[in-house]
Amino acid sequence: MSASLKKLVGSLLIVGFEGPRVTESLQNFLEQWDLGGVILFKRNIESLEQLTQLNETIYRLAQKPPILSVDHEGGRVFRLPSPFTAFPPMQKLGTLCAKQKNDVSAEQVGKVFARELRAVGFNVDYAPVLDVHTQPQNPIIGDRAFSEDPQQVGQVAMGFLRGLQSEGVLGCGKHFPGHGDTSEDSHLTLPVVNKSLDELRRCEFIPFQAAIQQEIPLLMTAHVMYPQIDAQWPATLSEKILTEILRNELGFQGLVISDDLFMKGITLQWKVEEAAERFLRAGGDLILLCHQEAVQRRVAAALVHQAEKDEEFHKLIIAKAEKVAAFRKRLAVGVVSDDLGKIGCEGHQKISQMLT
C-alpha cells in the first residue's frame, strides 16, 4: 500500500470517533493518511476546556489543516455544552424572518454560531438545512427546516450562511435533493420520495439553487430514494442525481459530502466499503463515516486497493483529492483563544432570545 495513495484516499474521509480524547485509530489517520477531517458529537465533548484541548490536539497531529466539523443547527441538533449559546429550532428563525420580511436576523444568528464555533477551533458547520418542511409527519427534519415555503427557506438559509462564513466557518447545505417530504427517518430505513423531477424543481431544488448561486462550498446528500429519477440508487449513490442533476443541471462547483454512510438508509442494502466507492463514482467527494473505527479503516483500505487495480478509479481519486486540498486551503485554522470568553456572552444570548 503506497504512502502517497493512502494520503489521497485519507483526504477524502471525514471520521467520527469514540470518547473525549483522540483515539489510536484517529491519530493514525491524522498522521499517516492525511485525513480530510473530523466530526465531533456529544460523546466527544465534556466541557469547554476539554473540547478546546481536544481540537488543539487534532490540529497538532494533522499533517495539513483538517476539516474540523460539527452538526450545529440549534434545536434538537446541538452538540455543545454550557456555556455555548443554546438556540431554538431553525423553524423559529424562519418565522421571525418572515415577519420581518428580511434575512437580517438570520445573518446575526449565523455570526453568533460561527464566533462560538471558531473560538474552539471548528471551521465547518453542517448547516444550513435546505430541506423544505412539506411533510408534517416527517420524523427527522420537521422544525429543523426554516420553512414550508421553498423561497423562504432559500432566503433565510442564505442570510444564515452569510453570517456563518463572515466569521470564518464554512457552511454545508443539506440534504440534497431534499429530505423534507419524507415520512421516514434515513437513520433507520431508506425513505422514498415519489416526486417527479419537475415537482422537485418547483419545490425542493429552490433552496439549493439559492445556495449554489451564493457559491456554498459544501452540499450533503440525502439517503433517500427518488424512484421517478433513479429507481436503482438512493441520492447518495446516484450518478443521475449527483452528476447529471446537481453538477450538470444546477451547476454546483463545490464539494459533495455524503451523509453518514453508517446510517441504515445505506447499510440495510450495501456494505459501507461498497457504498463509499459507489458514492465517489457517482459524483461525491467527501465520505462521512461517523462511527465504527475498525470499519473506517476497512473502507480506507478497500478504496486504496481498488485504486491500485483500477487506473480510472485511481485518476478519479487524484482529481477528488485535488479538489479537497483546494477546499482545505480556505479553512480557518486553530483555536482562537482570545474569543473563548465571548462564548455564551450576553450579546449572543440576546440574539438567541429573539427567536423565543
Side-chain angles (χ1 to χ4, degrees):
M1 193 183 290
S2 79
S4 60
L5 186 52
K6 277 174 67 172
K7 289 184 175 182
L8 292 173
V9 166
S11 73
L12 307 183
L13 306 180
I14 294 181
V15 305
F17 61 101
E18 300 300 322
R21 282 168 285 283
V22 170
T23 60
E24 185 179 346
S25 178
L26 177 58
Q27 182 168 344
N28 181 269
F29 265 135
L30 288 165
E31 291 179 341
Q32 304 297 325
W33 288 76
D34 185 29
L35 183 68
V38 180
I39 179 171
L40 298 192
F41 291 91
K42 278 187 178 177
R43 65 177 185 258
N44 306 120
I45 302 169
E46 294 176 334
S47 67
L48 176 59
E49 183 182 14
Q50 170 269 335
L51 172 60
T52 305
Q53 290 174 352
L54 174 62
N55 285 349
E56 285 177 332
T57 302
I58 291 169
Y59 277 116
R60 189 174 69 250
L61 293 172
Q63 302 304 293
K64 297 174 189 168
I67 296 164
L68 196 44
S69 60
V70 65
D71 275 315
H72 193 57
E73 297 175 15
R76 287 174 283 152
V77 184
F78 200 88
R79 317 296 193 201
L80 303 171
S82 177
F84 284 90
T85 306
F87 277 84
M90 288 296 100
Q91 189 177 59
K92 300 263 190 182
L93 178 58
T95 301
L96 176 65
C97 289
K99 283 181 188 169
Q100 295 174 336
K101 295 187 167 61
N102 60 48
D103 59 12
V104 173
S105 294
E107 191 164 342
Q108 288 178 309
V109 169
K111 283 177 180 287
V112 171
F113 272 48
R115 284 187 204 124
E116 298 198 354
L117 291 173
R118 274 301 305 130
V120 293
F122 290 111
N123 50 34
V124 168
D125 182 13
Y126 298 118
V129 171
L130 298 176
D131 303 310
V132 184
H133 184 35
T134 52
Q135 169 52 266
Q137 305 306 313
N138 193 317
I140 189 60
I141 302 301
D143 62 6
R144 294 168 63 192
F146 290 104
S147 176
E148 300 164 11
D149 175 350
Q151 300 286 352
Q152 180 72 1
V153 172
Q155 181 182 11
V156 179
M158 291 310 95
F160 175 88
L161 181 69
R162 280 198 309 276
L164 192 73
Q165 298 196 157
S166 72
E167 298 288 335
V169 174
L170 298 181
C172 174
K174 58 192 186 186
H175 309 79
F176 187 79
H179 207 318
D181 202 38
T182 64
S183 54
E184 296 176 302
D185 179 354
S186 53
H187 292 83
L188 307 174
T189 188
L190 181 57
V192 176
V193 171
N194 199 22
K195 283 188 167 182
S196 69
L197 186 53
D198 280 344
E199 287 175 308
L200 291 171
R201 287 182 181 126
R202 290 196 297 270
C203 182
E204 278 78 5
F205 286 5
I206 289 172
F208 289 98
Q209 287 173 304
I212 290 165
Q213 286 169 1
Q214 197 161 307
E215 297 185 348
I216 195 166
L218 270 173
L219 289 177
M220 181 180 286
T221 64
H223 299 332
V224 176
M225 289 293 297
Y226 303 83
Q228 292 196 47
I229 301 172
D230 189 333
Q232 182 179 5
W233 300 102
T236 298
L237 307 181
S238 170
E239 187 173 354
K240 287 180 183 177
I241 291 172
L242 299 187
T243 297
E244 292 179 22
I245 295 174
L246 181 58
R247 295 289 190 200
N248 298 343
E249 179 182 332
L250 300 182
F252 179 57
Q253 301 292 313
L255 295 177
V256 176
I257 182 171
S258 73
D259 207 342
D260 180 17
L261 290 188
F262 286 109
M263 289 162 61
K264 289 186 178 174
I266 296 297
T267 60
L268 287 174
Q269 294 190 43
W270 296 279
K271 288 183 177 179
V272 181
E273 298 95 317
E274 294 168 356
E277 180 186 337
R278 172 68 201 181
F279 168 70
L280 294 176
R281 291 185 186 277
D285 303 297
L286 280 167
I287 299 164
L288 187 58
L289 300 166
C290 294
H291 307 277
Q292 300 185 46
E293 293 176 65
V295 183
Q296 293 169 2
R297 303 190 67 73
R298 286 212 314 263
V299 170
L303 292 172
V304 168
H305 291 316
Q306 187 62 33
E308 285 174 335
K309 67 183 183 182
D310 181 339
E311 188 178 345
E312 286 304 309
F313 189 64
H314 193 161
K315 289 177 182 174
L316 187 71
I317 294 282
I318 291 170
K320 290 179 186 300
E322 287 174 352
K323 282 179 64 179
V324 172
F327 173 81
R328 286 168 69 180
K329 286 178 181 173
R330 298 175 55 190
L331 296 172
V333 176
V335 168
V336 187
S337 301
D338 290 349
D339 288 347
L340 290 170
K342 297 177 186 174
I343 293 173
C345 69
E346 186 179 354
H348 291 182
Q349 297 292 344
K350 281 183 178 176
I351 290 171
S352 173
Q353 287 157 12
M354 293 189 313
L355 309 186
T356 56

